[in-house]
Amino acid sequence: MPLLVTGSIGIDTVKTPHGLSENCIGGSAIYFTMAASFFAHVRLIGVVGFDCPFDIPEIFAGRDVDLAGLEIRKTSKTFRWAGTYMETMDDRVTDSMELNVLAEHPPAVPKVFADSKFVFLANTAPRLQIELLSQIDAPLFVAADTMDCWIADHLVDLSDLLRRVHCLIINEDEAKLLARQFNLVKAAEHILAMGPKIVIIKKGESGSLMCLEDGSQFILPAYPATDVRDPTGAGDSFAGGFMGYLASAGRTDFETLKTAIAYGTVVASFTIADFSLHGLTKTTREDMDSRLEILRKLTCF
Amino acid sequence: MPLLVTGSIGIDTVKTPHGLSENCIGGSAIYFTMAASFFAHVRLIGVVGFDCPFDIPEIFAGRDVDLAGLEIRKTSKTFRWAGTYMETMDDRVTDSMELNVLAEHPPAVPKVFADSKFVFLANTAPRLQIELLSQIDAPLFVAADTMDCWIADHLVDLSDLLRRVHCLIINEDEAKLLARQFNLVKAAEHILAMGPKIVIIKKGESGSLMCLEDGSQFILPAYPATDVRDPTGAGDSFAGGFMGYLASAGRTDFETLKTAIAYGTVVASFTIADFSLHGLTKTTREDMDSRLEILRKLTCF
């Protein structure tokens, strides 16, 4: 079933102990779309400015991606982000950020996308996420991401959003902040009580925890990667693999959700092996299936 | 097969957001022995001073524990430790520590213990761990713990120890320090090259990673505990459950090692549910078996 994503497209400059990648393509919608395209037909909604140096149709050439929702706004500049990862690779600082076109009104959802059944609302202001979601006719499964600034300053909007989505995918620290609770399982229970049926808490190199409103839980470690060059996009790739697998399966029962988490984990492990999209673009679906089986063996007893 | 443990016995005072436990029994050998006694016959070697307020035989009454290696040194005082856990429960500060009898020569291994086949050397100076180990005739499987101060200041002794043990069980931060490597899998590979056939890296609430010299790996998340009152002793309980299960099985093949890691994980989850030994002593082997099956379901896909 078609999978729609709304999110950012950016010009990234990333420095890690393994190198520097200047003015490369980034943004949540880009990582998500590339990751999900291994599994499902993806509809991308995003906006860039006149200065966008990337040929986005060329980047997704040969992949099952519909760019009808890509807007090039002639009077605006593209979102830019620059960051540096510490030696430990588990923390980063933002060196500079220019919201540019992201600070304006979001792109509209094309009418031909209104029948999308699976929807991912990447991180942005919850009010905009609600506005985008309201343009979809009858989605079967909606997942959203959010971040600390919306939790701190837009909690009313975020609470409204949480009543409208099926699944929240959120970082560990943000889950604790949102729930005002240090125990992760209790934090998940708190968030479930705010509306979604499913909460997925991403713990970086420690994997992820999924909690359902019926009390079901699933915990999966991250793939034990030794080849980590750039963690940028890991979370959006995880979401892309997760949602892409669900959309391809066309269902969201517990067993399918668990396999989707495993695919998300595997896709993220390829993303972080290289800068920008290079980790993903040199990978095949067969590589992902092989690594999924390795992950299964690594975690079963 | 009999399992021998050498380690500390202490008078602990622990403060957590959930309460205060003053002058309660603690120490690595105590937590390890109680944990392992659910699985195997345990031989304890440890020393206390004249001021020890605990009836240790009474504490282990009805359990398969041999206290022939317990020494009460009439001219010395018992080891004391006081610590406070932060609100997040994943960090603690030592408020005070008196080594007392632990700063003296270690207790001797009784002759009747010299035929022990499974041995755990809890954290102490690596030179003492070697001295204790040399008193065992022909152990089949020896595991050791260590900590940052020995890595920093006694690396020659520690390297000597690592050539004599089969397995190192170590915290995440200490593994990184020992290997001078931030990537955990690479850190494990570095440590394996120092001698042991198996490295187990404990990651607290994120579970553990086991790496073998033949390249086999196993990753297990921690049990998703909501009931965490006092994390003290979690690591030694993990080691006790792990070694206890191995000793009861009498073998150390990969499948047995994986199940042993799972039992260690489960035992630790009971330890942290209450202060001192209370989390363990109110638990049965059946509780542990039930939780093991829950953990299996939580992690398999």
Side-chain angles (χ1 to χ4, degrees), chain A residues 183 218-219 225 296 298 300-301, chain B residues 183 219 225 296 298 300-301:
Chain A
N183 181 287
F218 178 57
I219 318 174
R296 196 193 299 275
L298 279 169
C300 281
F301 64 95
Chain B
N183 182 287
I219 318 173
R296 196 191 299 274
L298 279 170
C300 281
F301 65 95

Side-chain angles (χ1 to χ4, degrees), chain B residues 116-129:
Chain B
S116 298
K117 294 300 172 195
F118 286 76
V119 176
F120 182 68
L121 306 166
N123 170 50
T124 186
R127 186 46 52 200
L128 297 184
Q129 291 172 301

Side-chain angles (χ1 to χ4, degrees), chain B residues 204-216:
Chain B
E205 65 167 349
S206 292
S208 58
L209 164 69
M210 173 170 67
C211 296
L212 276 63
E213 63 170 359
D214 70 0
S216 306

Side-chain angles (χ1 to χ4, degrees), chain A residues 18 87-90 172 176 182-186 189 203 205-206 209 216-228 254-255 258-259 262 292-293 295-301, chain B residues 18 87-90 172 176 182-186 189 203 205-206 209 216-228 254-255 258-259 262 292-293 295-301:
Chain A
H18 301 276
E87 202 185 355
T88 56
M89 299 290 269
D90 59 1
E172 181 174 13
K176 290 175 179 174
F182 291 112
N183 181 287
L184 264 199
V185 178
K186 287 187 184 170
E189 288 168 356
K203 302 170 69 183
E205 63 168 350
S206 293
L209 164 69
S216 305
Q217 297 177 335
F218 178 57
I219 318 174
L220 192 68
Y223 182 82
T226 51
D227 191 19
V228 183
F254 188 51
E255 289 305 314
K258 292 201 288 185
T259 306
L292 187 91
E293 290 312 312
L295 185 63
R296 196 193 299 275
K297 284 191 189 129
L298 279 169
T299 57
C300 281
F301 64 95
Chain B
H18 301 277
E87 201 184 355
T88 57
M89 298 289 269
D90 59 0
E172 181 174 13
K176 291 176 179 174
F182 291 114
N183 182 287
L184 263 198
V185 178
K186 287 186 184 171
E189 289 167 356
K203 302 170 69 183
E205 65 167 349
S206 292
L209 164 69
S216 306
Q217 296 176 335
F218 178 57
I219 318 173
L220 192 68
Y223 182 82
T226 51
D227 192 18
V228 183
F254 188 51
E255 288 305 314
K258 291 200 291 185
T259 306
L292 188 90
E293 289 312 312
L295 185 63
R296 196 191 299 274
K297 284 194 188 126
L298 279 170
T299 57
C300 281
F301 65 95

Side-chain angles (χ1 to χ4, degrees), chain A residues 30-52:
Chain A
I30 293 295
Y31 279 106
F32 181 97
T33 297
M34 188 59 82
S37 72
F38 286 88
F39 304 91
H41 175 67
V42 189
R43 295 165 164 179
L44 183 152
I45 294 182
V47 56
V48 294
F50 65 86
D51 60 340
C52 178

